[in-house]
């Protein structure tokens, strides 16, 4: 996830049961051309290889540039390279990559063939359903398997389903993919996962080899454990969101993502806190406003700790119960009418990355909010 699956976050997710993580998406051409961008991805701090298995995800549309970028990447630390054919954002349309590349089938197949020939590690792919329908999608996916992809993750939505139009994911389509190619390569289902019950249902309905979560795990990393199960009690029995935020801050201090953690430093860390603590930050009132202002202007992990202290006060005042916590950020585009309930306050908000493509900026130089270098210094 762009500027979000940084090393500290991957560590956190693994601690709570994720058994395969991806690097943030790497832009192949920028990786070859920009020294700072290259360094932010290539310097793994985790040389002990504790962070595995991990796939490095790339985007691009040129067979040679993609192969050169992947060769230049330190592939000894990763278990596969993945092609992003899922990104639906404007920048991907402009760059002819992500979900838009799926609509250039011949080019995509030639990219896969070239990578399989040129690289000494496995090549995997993340796809969406084509806007022209599932039959066209299946025909393309079969060609991709023929070309040599070793694993396919299917986000069961089309590229039109994003932001306010996200809507429900189609697990029946993912099942059709599993039926079509699941005997040749593992198919991973993506979309619609907010707790352990969803995971069980998804695996049952789709027959997929596994599930991928993005927004659910970003908001509450223990969703892969039994601590967030709806069927058993509807109650959260695992750590509360404040505890998770603090765990992340500690990992961020241990593995500063600016030094090899593959993200943009403070901007990335602030986004994580925004996701973990969304419900508190959006809850309205003076204390929540203060916490949002503080988070917006945070320049260090110490500042972010102060945000958690403010919210601890807020939770105490409100008689907050961890077992009653629910996912809020994940649900914002999934429950009808929920968007209107979002508190709109007249203070700067930490950017929510519905258009996560803007995050490239943080990695190759950009002025931060509240003045100074957007990358922070810690
Ligand atoms: C902040 C953010 C960053 C993302 N970055 C990527 C990315 O780099 N590559 C990718 O394949 N998908 C990316 N996605 C999309 C997710 O992987 C996933 O396909 C989508 O959110 C649907 O899954 P979910 O319902 O579990 O959230 C990103 C999503 C978010 C919210």
């Amino acid at each position: 996830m762009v500027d979000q699956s940084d090393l500290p976050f991957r560590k956190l997710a693994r601690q709570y049961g994720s058994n395969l993580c991806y690097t943030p998406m790497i832009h192949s051409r920028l990786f070859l051309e920009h020294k700072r961008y290259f360094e932010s991805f290539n310097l793994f701090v985790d040389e002990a290889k504790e962070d595995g298995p991990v796939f490095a995800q790339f985007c691009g549309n040129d067979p040679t540039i993609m192969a050169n970028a992947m060769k230049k990447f330190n592939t000894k630390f990763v278990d596969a390279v993945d092609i992003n054919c899922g990104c639906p954002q404007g920048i991907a349309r402009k760059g002819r990559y992500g979900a838009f590349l799926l609509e250039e089938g011949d080019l995509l197949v030639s990219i896969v063939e070239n990578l399989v020939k040129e690289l000494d590690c496995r090549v995997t792919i993340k796809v969406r359903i084509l806007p022209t329908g599932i039959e066209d999608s299946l025909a393309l996916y079969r060609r991709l398997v023929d070309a040599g992809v070793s694993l396919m993750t299917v986000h069961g939505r089309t590229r039109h389903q994003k932001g306010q139009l996200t809507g429900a994911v189609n697990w029946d389509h993912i099942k059709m993919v599993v039926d079509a190619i699941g005997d040749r390569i593992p198919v991973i289902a993506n979309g619609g996962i907010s707790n352990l019950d969803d995971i069980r249902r998804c695996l049952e309905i789709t027959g997929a080899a596994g599930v991928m979560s993005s927004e659910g795990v970003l908001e509450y990393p223990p969703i892969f454990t039994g601590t967030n199960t709806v069927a058993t009690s509807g109650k959260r029995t695992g750590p509360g969101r404040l505890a998770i935020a603090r765990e992340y801050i500690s990992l961020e201090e241990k593995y500063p993502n600016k030094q090899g953690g593959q993200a943009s430093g403070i901007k990335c860390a602030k986004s994580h806190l925004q996701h973990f603590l969304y419900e508190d930050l959006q809850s309205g009132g003076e204390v929540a406003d203060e916490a949002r202002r503080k988070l917006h202007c945070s320049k260090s992990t110490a500042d972010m700790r102060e945000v958690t202290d403010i919210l601890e006060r807020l939770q105490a005042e409100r008689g907050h119960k961890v077992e009653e916590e629910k996912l809020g950020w994940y649900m914002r585009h999934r429950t009808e009418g929920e968007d209107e309930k979002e508190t709109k306050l007249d203070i700067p908000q930490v950017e929510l990355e519905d258009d996560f493509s803007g995050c490239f900026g943080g990695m190759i130089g950009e002025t931060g909010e509240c003045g100074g270098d957007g990358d922070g210094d810690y």
Side-chain angles (χ1 to χ4, degrees):
M1 294 172 285
V2 172
D3 216 15
Q4 287 292 268
S5 44
D6 49 307
L7 182 61
F9 184 76
R10 297 201 298 265
K11 289 268 181 192
L12 185 63
R14 287 185 201 284
Q15 225 161 277
Y16 287 108
S18 297
N19 45 23
L20 167 62
C21 296
Y22 287 63
T23 65
M25 179 184 82
I26 304 169
H27 189 291
S28 301
R29 189 178 48 74
L30 292 181
F31 188 75
L32 291 176
E33 292 176 1
H34 285 265
K35 184 167 175 287
R36 186 165 159 216
Y37 186 83
F38 164 78
E39 284 171 354
S40 72
F41 287 106
N42 218 40
L43 299 174
F44 275 77
V45 287
D46 194 12
E47 298 196 353
K49 228 188 166 219
E50 284 165 18
D51 177 43
V54 63
F55 290 2
Q57 191 187 61
F58 286 78
C59 71
N61 62 23
D62 182 298
T64 309
I65 291 178
M66 290 186 78
N68 287 344
M70 290 175 185
K71 279 184 194 165
K72 195 175 173 194
F73 187 78
N74 220 337
T75 47
K76 71 175 183 248
F77 291 112
V78 297
D79 299 275
V81 289
D82 188 71
I83 306 170
N84 181 337
C85 286
C87 181
Q89 308 296 353
I91 197 167
R93 175 196 293 279
K94 230 163 95 194
R96 284 174 54 216
Y97 61 79
F100 300 91
L101 189 58
L102 289 173
E103 290 161 50
E104 301 194 49
D106 293 343
L107 173 61
L108 178 58
V109 168
S110 71
I111 287 172
V112 171
E113 283 170 345
N114 189 48
L115 294 179
V116 170
K117 181 166 70 98
E118 294 284 327
L119 300 174
D120 54 9
C121 69
R122 288 177 193 275
V123 177
T124 67
I125 194 161
K126 162 110 178 292
V127 298
R128 284 194 177 227
I129 307 299
L130 278 169
T132 51
I134 189 65
E135 289 306 330
D136 286 349
S137 306
L138 295 177
L140 175 63
Y141 303 161
R142 284 194 188 95
R143 290 179 69 197
L144 294 171
V145 180
D146 293 342
V149 296
S150 300
L151 175 148
M152 184 179 292
T153 301
V154 185
H155 182 180
R157 294 186 174 96
T158 69
R159 67 174 165 79
H160 300 297
Q161 292 177 276
K162 59 173 185 160
Q164 308 278 341
L165 302 178
T166 298
V169 64
N170 192 329
W171 285 345
D172 293 334
H173 281 169
I174 299 180
K175 176 181 166 28
M176 290 170 79
V177 182
V178 174
D179 289 346
I181 59 169
D183 57 339
R184 299 175 66 193
I185 58 166
V187 174
I188 307 291
N190 172 231
I193 300 297
S194 64
N195 58 55
L196 195 60
D197 293 332
D198 291 338
I199 295 172
R200 291 193 184 114
R201 265 187 326 114
C202 177
L203 292 177
E204 202 175 300
I205 290 171
T206 64
V211 299
M212 168 192 277
S213 159
S214 166
E215 293 192 356
V217 82
L218 278 175
E219 183 170 354
Y220 190 64
I223 66 165
F224 292 120
T225 67
T227 61
N228 198 36
T229 306
V230 173
T232 47
S233 65
K235 295 206 187 283
R236 183 169 285 177
T237 56
R241 53 191 178 231
L242 212 49
I244 293 290
R246 286 176 170 147
E247 271 190 78
Y248 174 79
I249 294 171
S250 298
L251 284 163
E252 172 61 33
E253 283 162 344
K254 194 165 169 199
Y255 306 97
N257 66 36
K258 200 176 172 188
Q259 294 167 26
Q262 306 170 346
S264 66
I266 194 75
K267 185 177 172 207
C268 162
K270 281 158 67 168
S271 282
H272 278 302
L273 259 69
Q274 175 83 23
H275 299 148
F276 300 141
L277 301 171
Y278 177 84
E279 285 288 279
D280 298 304
L281 292 166
Q282 296 290 326
S283 65
E286 272 178 30
V287 185
D289 292 0
E290 184 195 344
R292 281 160 48 139
R293 235 178 257 117
K294 180 86 205 167
L295 179 57
H296 181 73
C297 292
S298 287
K299 290 188 186 308
S300 65
T301 50
D303 288 343
M304 290 190 281
R305 281 193 192 285
E306 274 183 47
V307 173
T308 62
D309 293 344
I310 297 169
L311 292 179
E312 186 171 17
R313 235 171 54 221
L314 176 80
Q315 291 192 352
E317 276 167 20
R318 292 180 176 173
H320 178 82
K321 292 193 176 74
V322 165
E323 64 269 25
E324 287 172 8
E325 286 182 1
K326 301 246 176 313
L327 295 187
W329 180 63
Y330 181 77
M331 297 310 293
R332 75 202 181 290
H333 296 312
R334 290 164 180 83
T335 315
E336 259 173 62
E338 277 300 303
D339 289 329
E340 288 85 62
K341 285 193 208 149
E342 240 178 52
T343 322
K344 299 268 182 266
L345 296 173
D346 192 20
I347 58 169
Q349 300 221 8
V350 176
E351 173 189 320
L352 283 177
E353 57 290 28
D354 275 333
D355 187 353
F356 50 82
S357 53
C359 294
F360 286 150
M363 302 200 185
I364 55 175
E366 169 187 87
T367 307
E369 317 96 338
C370 303
D373 174 4
D375 280 7
D377 277 318
Y378 58 92

